[in-house]
Amino acid sequence: MSKDIQSSAAKILEGIGGVGNIKFLTCCATRLRFELNDNSIVDKAALDAIPEVMGCVPQSGERYQIVVGGGVATMHSALQQLIENSKASGGADNTKTETKAASNDDVKASLRSSGVRGKVAWVDGFFEYLSDSFRPILGILLGASLIIALCAVLDALHIVDFRGEKSAGWVFVDAMWHSVFYFLPIMVAYNASKKLKVDPWLGAAIMGALMTPDFQKLTSLASTTSIKDATLGTVSHVAHVFGLPMQLNDYSGNVFVPLIMVAVLALVYRFLKKIIPDNLHMVFVPFLSLIIMIPLTAFLIGPLGVWIGTYLGLGLAWLNTHAPFVFAILIPLLYPFLVPLGLHWPLNALMLMNIQTLGYDFIQGPMGVWNFACFGATAGVLLISLREKDATMRQTASGALAAGLFGGISEPSLYGIHLRFKKVYPRLLAGCLAGGVTLAVLSSMYGSVKTQAFAFTSLLTIPVFHPMWIYAVSIAVAFVVPMVLIVLFDYRTAEEKAEHKE
């Protein structure tokens, strides 16, 4: 860990009010999340002056968020180390609540009990389950999407023909990104199990059983029957296992099945731990979990998950086919409200499901319009900060813009800038509308903008979208409109501007 990170972590700790002011500390994809004893003693100006800090977001209920972008895990580790060192040396004020680095579950449970979060616990829990099942693998999904983008560029420039016969070298390159999406169900099962406090390797093993060569071999047995679905144009296989019919599916890339399976596994796992003596847990809890859950998943949960994902995707595909103009505008206008609430995760799951069932996805194109409208608003803020020689906002906006344009990550912009100033969202929504209308008009003769990859919508992944020129023009419009509106009409009210100057 670099000295700069350690120094910045120490400054954050000092700015937040010291170790004794922290009840809980955790982090998400881009933010440090604190629950404090006293929000009023936080030195926001000092925090904003720290180079790694992209923004500070005071919240109700003594909560406080500090946006640090992609380096959040390293900063979180540095803070934990400082907190532990302080506790070991007796430096913390022992009269205050004991400081601890809490899990996301600890923080959310505390906030819900105090009435800060939604009062319907199961709704909160559902979206937290979805987000925590995907968040740890966002990095590898981003890495895989950039490999796909590189291949798309080579194909577009006719350097390598990825649609024809490929050499062994390029087949190997395909394996580099395909591995991530093929084994995605196992990764999701691992994360989901961890979220529900089940042995994560158990969840991974159950999902992996349905992806082994032995399971796939069932499709070629003489006793297996094949059924053609006239609606979907697909062929399904039904094996007869011990006299019982089992629908065989390709579970690679599927995310609904592991999410449903782990939810059921959690109930089974807790029941087994309750009825089996503690000294026998290590052997018989995993043994019985496997014996129960693998058949249950293969016969019931797997086909159910595939059915749910397929028909949700087909429903959106129907809307995209019969009302493409509405669809192309609706998605960009919904995302600015879904992302801050964490409600966009079901759509991410549908994108992955579309690629697995249809071979392509049509949601990411309109989603890219929202992302670039978000980045355009940030660019407008950056230009104003340069004009006003505002070093603090320049630093925040430049970091957020870089994370967006090259990583497709909107959180630094969203939490560091957009949700802090009242005039940003109207300009942002204007960009979403303009980009959505552009996409709808230009793609009307093509049906929609599609991609065969799950890609973070950044400058680097533009080549994975087809038709590429329509997508590029649409996101350019979405980017320029809010940027120009903010440069011309500012992003702050008169009160916010005066407060910001102070």
Side-chain angles (χ1 to χ4, degrees):
M1 192 177 297
S2 71
K3 290 183 179 180
D4 288 342
I5 294 295
Q6 292 174 330
S7 174
S8 295
K11 291 177 182 177
I12 289 174
L13 197 58
E14 182 181 352
I16 210 74
V19 173
N21 193 36
I22 303 173
K23 284 185 181 178
F24 296 110
L25 165 63
T26 186
C27 68
C28 61
T30 58
R31 291 160 286 149
L32 296 166
R33 304 175 63 190
F34 295 88
E35 186 180 359
L36 304 174
N37 290 305
D38 185 0
N39 248 359
S40 64
I41 67 173
V42 174
D43 189 344
K44 187 175 183 299
L47 290 172
D48 283 331
I50 299 170
E52 287 80 6
V53 173
M54 297 179 178
C56 301
V57 189
Q59 297 183 309
S60 59
E62 304 300 341
R63 293 183 300 155
Y64 209 88
Q65 295 186 2
I66 299 176
V67 184
V68 295
V72 66
T74 304
M75 188 65 73
H76 181 250
S77 297
L79 282 166
Q80 283 183 309
Q81 186 176 346
L82 288 173
I83 290 169
E84 291 301 321
N85 290 344
S86 177
K87 288 165 63 178
S89 62
D93 183 354
N94 293 324
T95 64
K96 295 185 179 180
T97 303
E98 181 186 2
T99 301
K100 63 178 179 178
S103 67
N104 278 326
D105 291 338
D106 293 330
V107 174
K108 290 164 186 172
S110 172
L111 296 178
R112 190 179 291 116
S113 66
S114 64
V116 175
R117 290 178 63 82
K119 294 182 179 179
V120 184
W122 72 266
V123 175
D124 280 347
F126 172 72
F127 287 106
E128 289 163 8
Y129 176 59
L130 286 178
S131 82
D132 289 347
S133 297
F134 284 103
R135 186 181 293 118
I137 56 176
L138 288 180
I140 59 167
L141 287 172
L142 175 57
S145 72
L146 292 181
I147 296 175
I148 295 169
L150 173 63
C151 295
V153 170
L154 293 173
D155 186 70
L157 297 176
H158 303 291
I159 297 173
V160 180
D161 182 7
F162 280 91
R163 294 175 179 82
E165 190 72 25
K166 288 177 281 191
S167 68
W170 291 110
V171 171
F172 177 68
V173 169
D174 278 346
M176 292 181 184
W177 65 263
H178 192 242
S179 63
V180 174
F181 295 100
Y182 185 87
F183 294 109
L184 188 62
I186 297 176
M187 301 177 199
V188 171
Y190 181 94
N191 291 331
S193 300
K194 202 170 181 180
K195 169 66 179 174
L196 297 185
K197 295 181 171 58
V198 174
D199 180 357
W201 293 111
L202 187 58
I206 293 168
M207 201 63 235
L210 275 61
M211 302 176 69
T212 60
D214 292 323
F215 185 84
Q216 299 301 321
K217 195 187 298 181
L218 290 171
T219 59
S220 60
L221 296 180
S223 60
T224 298
T225 56
S226 300
I227 304 170
K228 185 170 184 178
D229 189 319
T231 304
L232 300 176
T234 57
V235 177
S236 60
H237 303 279
V238 177
H240 301 278
V241 179
F242 300 118
L244 298 173
M246 177 194 291
Q247 181 180 323
L248 303 175
N249 298 290
D250 178 8
Y251 293 105
S252 62
N254 193 294
V255 293
F256 283 94
V257 174
L259 289 171
I260 299 171
M261 179 273 291
V262 171
V264 177
L265 170 63
L267 300 176
V268 172
Y269 188 80
R270 289 180 177 80
F271 175 74
L272 292 174
K273 290 190 76 173
K274 185 181 293 186
I275 64 171
I276 295 173
D278 291 352
N279 59 336
L280 298 178
H281 278 184
M282 186 173 182
V283 176
F284 287 99
V285 170
F287 164 68
L288 292 174
S289 296
L290 292 170
I291 290 294
I292 294 169
M293 288 305 303
I294 291 177
L296 186 61
T297 305
F299 280 100
L300 180 62
I301 296 174
L304 175 64
V306 169
W307 184 86
I308 291 172
T310 299
Y311 281 93
L312 280 174
L314 286 174
L316 283 176
W318 181 90
L319 179 62
N320 185 51
T321 301
H322 292 83
F325 201 93
V326 173
F327 185 84
I329 298 172
L330 183 64
I331 294 295
L333 289 175
L334 280 177
Y335 257 89
F337 304 100
L338 295 178
V339 174
L341 298 173
L343 303 182
H344 60 301
W345 291 103
L347 279 176
N348 290 349
L350 278 174
M351 294 171 197
L352 291 163
M353 195 67 197
N354 285 339
I355 293 168
Q356 200 253 347
T357 56
L358 304 175
Y360 63 89
D361 174 61
F362 47 85
I363 303 174
Q364 292 175 75
M367 185 195 75
V369 168
W370 128 256
N371 254 5
F372 276 86
C374 174
F375 308 150
T378 303
V381 173
L382 176 60
L383 291 174
I384 288 180
S385 70
L386 291 171
R387 184 176 68 196
E388 297 181 352
K389 298 180 180 179
D390 181 347
T392 301
M393 187 53 72
R394 182 183 71 240
Q395 180 179 302
T396 300
S398 59
L401 187 60
L405 292 179
F406 298 105
I409 302 172
S410 60
E411 280 86 349
S413 293
L414 201 60
Y415 293 100
I417 301 171
H418 300 174
L419 295 175
R420 294 169 57 190
F421 300 99
K422 296 176 182 177
K423 285 190 172 183
V424 174
Y425 252 58
R427 280 89 163 121
L428 170 62
L429 291 173
C432 291
L433 179 61
V437 170
T438 303
L439 186 73
V441 172
L442 295 181
S443 64
S444 59
M445 65 185 74
Y446 297 96
S448 64
V449 171
K450 301 181 179 71
T451 177
Q452 296 177 337
F454 182 81
F456 285 65
T457 47
S458 69
L459 289 176
L460 301 176
T461 58
I462 291 175
V464 306
F465 292 92
H466 305 282
M468 185 173 68
W469 71 271
I470 293 177
Y471 175 73
V473 170
S474 301
I475 62 174
V477 170
F479 183 89
V480 170
V481 168
M483 180 180 70
V484 170
L485 288 174
I486 284 177
V487 169
L488 292 178
F489 303 108
D490 211 295
Y491 61 97
R492 300 156 293 189
T493 62
E495 294 81 7
E496 287 172 339
K497 196 169 184 179
E499 182 184 347
H500 188 64
K501 283 185 176 180
E502 288 179 7

